[in-house]
């Protein structure tokens, strides 16, 4: 059964909150800013209303996940900290003396059972934009768009490498507290055999757990719990741990990553107004329309879009010139970005970092060449050549690669009327002035990664990635709103 509402239970000690937690405390300010009852309303259909045991409040469970994101700690540690941290207790709606805590595994069940099939990303982004609008924070009519990549949980570390990393972090904390413990620790595994590394990890955990004086030191305890989580995950997934939704994307011609992309739109006040998550190989440009539509649906007036060359494709220029829903596109032109006249299913995505096209199967072109006459008024084409050996065995070769062909190329027209108009606009002082704000979104991407741990996926699958993105963006937006309030 679902509780009808969440309230702080009556207690003779509730006045302690006013004495201990200052008015400028982050969690107190978030509680005052956000009415979290929208979470309860959104999840009503995920609970039985007239049968079964009383469920934990969905608002409290959501707040646990928010605390986990803000402080970048494990499920075990966020629950444990709520035992003694008064600001956590206040934020969660607990009485000061309450020690009857949830089991950390309940957070995993909440994510899988209650948040499943919910468009949490759009819900949370929309809520923060609504709050920012009500506070009069969003005044601009400009959005800045870009994409940031997130590495899959199974990459770049193998199970052995991630176990070694977490073990190393734990040992470092142990040595800082007691250097004499070195002699009692097991001998480190030096080969690449997973079974040996698992044995070493278990021995290390047993030794630390058997020493309560060290295991209860907060810094050591956090690293200990992180290692236990990784060990549990590796034991469950090391045979079938490949992230099936993640794909190889390209950060440059020579650098790639395995994971996901989060495409975001941000107002000039640095409030994220829309976001969408895709696998890593997807191009940035095709996501522009959805970002603009989401931003407008969330209450943001969009007259101008500032972006990099990845968004200056012909389709986006045409979209920006639409009489009813158009906008001013401030994006430096790269002639090779045009999708040409190919059918939708045949279109290749342009990767602006590598300066190459990527085929629908995710393979990047290996070289490019210019073709056509150079006389004035004559259009030229830029031809991209792909590795024919990959094409011959590609699962998507039907209709793309002709059997027996010795080469595979993709040509785009360099000039078009739309591109010429955009090139003329690019030369104006207005364009140069408006383009200067694009740096702001780079800082926002860095904040998501460095402050909220968004550089690496916490779990497997694109649904989990969307959930992680929803929490990280919600936390980032709320903190920004508090700063501007």
């Amino acid at each position: 059964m679902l509780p009808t509402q969440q309230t702080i239970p009556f207690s003779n000690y509730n006045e302690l909150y006013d004495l201990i937690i200052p008015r400028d405390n982050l969690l107190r300010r978030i509680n005052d800013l956000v009415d979290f009852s929208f979470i309860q309303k959104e999840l009503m259909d995920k609970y039985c209303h007239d049968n079964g045991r009383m469920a934990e409040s969905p608002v409290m469970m959501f707040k646990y996940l928010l605390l986990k994101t803000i402080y970048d700690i494990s499920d075990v540690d966020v629950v444990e900290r709520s035992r003694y941290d008064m600001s956590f207790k206040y934020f969660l709606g607990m009485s000061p003396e309450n020690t009857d805590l949830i089991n950390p595994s309940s957070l995993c069940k909440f994510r899988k059972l209650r948040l499943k099939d919910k468009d949490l990303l759009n819900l949370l982004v929309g809520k923060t934009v609504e709050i920012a609008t009500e506070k009069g924070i969003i005044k601009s009519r400009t959005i800045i768009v870009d994409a940031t990549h997130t590495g899959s949980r199974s990459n770049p570390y193998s199970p052995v490498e991630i176990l070694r990393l977490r073990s190393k972090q734990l040992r470092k904390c142990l040595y800082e507290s007691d250097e004499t413990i070195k002699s009692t620790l097991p001998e480190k595994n030096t080969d690449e055999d997973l079974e040996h590394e698992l044995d070493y990890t278990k021995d290390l955990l047993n030794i630390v757990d058997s020493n309560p004086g060290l295991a209860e030191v907060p810094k050591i305890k956090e690293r200990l719990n992180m290692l236990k989580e990784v060990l549990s995950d590796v034991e469950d997934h090391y045979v079938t741990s490949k992230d099936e939704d993640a794909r190889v994307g390209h950060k440059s011609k020579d650098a790639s990553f395995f994971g996901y992309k989060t495409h975001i739109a941000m107002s000039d006040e640095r409030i994220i107004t829309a976001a969408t998550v895709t696998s890593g190989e997807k191009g940035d440009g095709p996501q522009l329309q959805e970002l603009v539509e989401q931003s407008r649906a969330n209450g943001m007036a969009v007259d101008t879009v500032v972006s990099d060359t990845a968004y200056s494709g012909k389709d986006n220029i045409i979209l920006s010139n639409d009489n009813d829903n158009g906008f001013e596109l401030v994006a430096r032109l790269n002639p090779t970005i045009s999708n040409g006249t190919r059918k939708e299913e045949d279109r290749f995505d342009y990767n602006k970092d590598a300066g190459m096209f990527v085929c629908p199967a995710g393979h990047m072109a290996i070289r490019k060449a210019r073709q056509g006459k150079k006389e004035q008024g004559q259009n030229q084409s830029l031809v991209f050549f792909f590795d024919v050996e990959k094409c011959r065995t590609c699962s998507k070769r039907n209709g793309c690669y002709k059997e027996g062909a010795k080469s595979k190329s993709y040509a785009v027209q360099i000039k078009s009327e739309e591109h010429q108009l955009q090139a003329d606009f690019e030369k104006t002082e207005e364009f140069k002035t408006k383009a200067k704000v694009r740096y702001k979104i780079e800082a926002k991407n860095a904040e998501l990664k460095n402050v909220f741990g968004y550089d690496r996926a916490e779990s497997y699958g694109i649904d989990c990635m969307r959930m992680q993105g929803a929490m990280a963006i919600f936390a980032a937006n709320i903190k920004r709103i508090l700063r501007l309030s």
Side-chain angles (χ1 to χ4, degrees):
M1 293 178 63
L2 181 67
T4 56
Q5 61 181 352
Q6 186 198 25
T7 57
I8 296 179
F10 176 78
S11 169
N12 293 325
Y13 304 101
N14 279 346
E15 293 182 358
L16 286 173
Y17 287 137
D18 292 329
L19 296 174
I20 296 174
I21 307 173
R23 288 292 174 184
D24 61 352
N25 175 267
L26 174 62
L27 299 183
R28 179 185 279 274
R29 295 182 68 198
I30 292 176
N31 240 10
D32 294 340
L33 176 69
V34 184
D35 178 6
F36 287 96
S37 62
F38 76 96
I39 295 294
Q40 179 117 349
K41 295 176 183 177
E42 187 67 24
L43 299 181
M44 289 286 285
D45 61 334
K46 291 291 185 177
Y47 293 84
C48 177
H49 299 279
D50 56 8
N51 193 22
R53 294 186 304 169
M54 187 64 70
E56 298 290 353
S57 164
V59 173
M60 184 185 70
M61 299 299 285
F62 176 81
K63 286 184 175 182
Y64 265 118
L65 297 184
L66 185 57
L67 288 171
K68 177 177 166 67
T69 299
I70 293 174
Y71 294 96
D72 194 18
I73 52 181
S74 66
D75 290 352
V76 172
D77 288 317
V78 75
V79 174
E80 178 60 25
R81 188 164 168 180
S82 67
R83 182 184 301 277
Y84 57 82
D85 192 315
M86 295 296 281
S87 63
F88 273 41
K89 285 179 177 290
Y90 174 81
F91 184 68
L92 293 167
M94 299 167 56
S95 59
E97 73 276 16
N98 186 4
T99 57
D100 184 19
L101 307 177
I102 66 169
N103 190 298
S105 64
S106 298
L107 292 176
C108 182
K109 293 179 181 178
F110 179 71
R111 287 188 290 261
K112 290 181 178 180
L113 300 179
R114 310 305 184 190
L115 298 183
K116 183 181 179 182
D117 302 327
K118 290 293 181 181
D119 190 1
L120 195 65
L121 184 57
N122 280 334
L123 173 67
L124 297 186
V125 172
K127 184 63 179 179
T128 53
V129 174
E130 177 187 330
I131 294 172
T133 303
E134 290 175 353
K135 293 286 184 180
I137 292 173
I138 297 181
K139 300 176 181 178
S140 69
R141 303 172 72 89
T142 298
I143 60 171
I144 312 167
V145 298
D146 196 15
T148 186
H149 70 277
T150 303
S152 168
R153 180 164 183 165
S154 60
N155 188 75
Y157 302 112
S158 67
V160 171
E161 289 172 330
I162 190 63
L163 283 171
R164 284 180 178 172
L165 174 64
R166 296 305 187 196
S167 296
K168 181 179 179 180
Q169 292 171 339
L170 174 59
R171 289 197 304 270
K172 183 178 179 181
C173 291
L174 290 171
Y175 298 158
E176 290 174 353
S177 298
D178 183 6
E179 287 192 5
T180 61
I181 199 174
K182 286 184 179 181
S183 59
T184 65
L185 297 183
E187 185 178 351
K188 288 187 286 187
N189 175 45
T190 57
D191 59 39
E192 299 300 319
D193 183 75
L194 179 58
E195 294 297 335
H196 291 168
E197 192 64 35
L198 288 170
D199 291 339
Y200 167 78
T201 303
K202 292 174 183 177
D203 290 342
L204 176 62
L205 290 173
N206 289 335
I207 290 176
V208 178
D209 284 332
S210 65
N211 191 331
L214 283 176
E216 293 302 319
V217 175
K219 191 173 182 180
I220 294 177
K221 192 172 183 179
E222 285 188 7
R223 293 302 181 186
L224 185 66
N225 288 331
M226 289 295 286
L227 180 56
K228 287 180 178 178
E229 278 195 8
V230 170
L231 177 63
S232 176
D233 183 72
V234 168
E235 287 183 319
D236 289 342
H237 297 95
Y238 74 88
V239 175
T240 58
S241 63
K242 184 178 179 181
D243 194 337
E244 295 182 356
D245 292 334
R247 295 291 184 272
V248 174
H250 300 274
K251 294 186 288 184
S252 68
K253 185 176 180 179
D254 301 317
S256 62
F257 68 95
F258 179 70
Y260 302 91
K261 275 186 178 181
T262 302
H263 310 265
I264 64 175
M266 184 184 77
S267 73
D268 200 30
E269 295 82 11
R270 307 193 192 199
I271 301 294
I272 295 175
T273 60
T276 180
V277 177
T278 66
S279 50
E281 90 287 4
K282 298 296 185 183
D284 299 352
Q287 316 305 322
L288 179 61
Q289 182 174 1
E290 183 176 354
L291 293 175
V292 173
E293 291 176 352
Q294 281 186 21
S295 295
R296 287 172 170 167
N298 288 333
M300 172 76 183
V302 180
D303 290 343
T304 304
V305 175
V306 180
S307 61
D308 58 26
T309 58
Y311 298 87
S312 62
K314 187 176 180 180
D315 284 354
N316 286 338
I317 295 175
I318 294 174
L319 176 68
S320 69
N321 293 328
D322 184 83
N323 292 330
D324 297 324
N325 300 304
F327 49 85
E328 187 178 54
L329 181 61
V330 182
R332 295 194 178 278
L333 186 64
N334 190 321
T336 62
I337 201 172
S338 176
N339 283 325
T341 58
R342 304 289 181 112
K343 295 179 181 179
E344 186 68 31
E345 61 270 18
D346 294 335
R347 286 181 178 173
F348 288 29
D349 286 328
Y350 179 75
N351 186 289
K352 54 95 178 178
D353 296 315
M356 292 287 188
F357 271 92
V358 179
C359 77
H363 303 307
M364 179 175 286
I366 56 177
R367 68 183 181 91
K368 60 184 176 181
R370 187 185 293 259
Q371 293 183 356
K373 296 181 180 180
K374 294 184 179 180
E375 287 82 0
Q376 187 175 3
Q378 297 293 322
N379 286 344
Q380 292 179 281
S381 294
L382 206 58
V383 182
F384 294 80
F385 296 89
F386 292 82
D387 186 348
V388 72
E389 295 300 327
K390 292 182 180 178
C391 295
R392 286 170 180 162
T393 58
C394 180
S395 60
K396 297 184 178 182
R397 63 183 181 276
N398 292 336
C400 179
Y401 169 72
K402 185 177 180 180
E403 294 296 336
K406 296 182 179 180
S407 65
K408 169 60 186 174
S409 61
Y410 181 86
V412 293
Q413 185 175 308
I414 292 180
K415 291 183 179 180
S416 67
E417 182 180 354
E418 290 80 11
H419 282 131
Q420 189 59 55
L421 291 173
Q422 188 70 11
D424 294 339
F425 176 48
E426 189 178 328
K427 297 175 183 178
T428 64
E429 287 300 319
E430 179 188 3
F431 179 96
K432 295 175 183 178
T433 300
K434 291 182 176 180
K436 289 180 180 179
V437 302
R438 209 195 76 79
Y439 76 93
K440 294 181 180 180
I441 203 163
E442 300 289 354
K444 182 61 67 173
N445 289 338
E447 178 189 357
L448 291 174
K449 291 184 177 182
N450 298 330
V451 178
F452 299 105
Y454 205 57
D455 58 330
R456 190 171 179 83
E458 293 179 348
S459 191
Y460 298 95
I462 197 167
D463 289 338
C464 293
M465 190 69 246
R466 290 191 180 109
M467 193 180 302
Q468 183 180 347
M471 299 306 299
I473 292 173
F474 183 78
N477 273 358
I478 290 299
K479 291 183 73 173
R480 182 64 181 170
I481 292 171
L482 289 174
R483 184 174 181 180
L484 297 178
S485 297

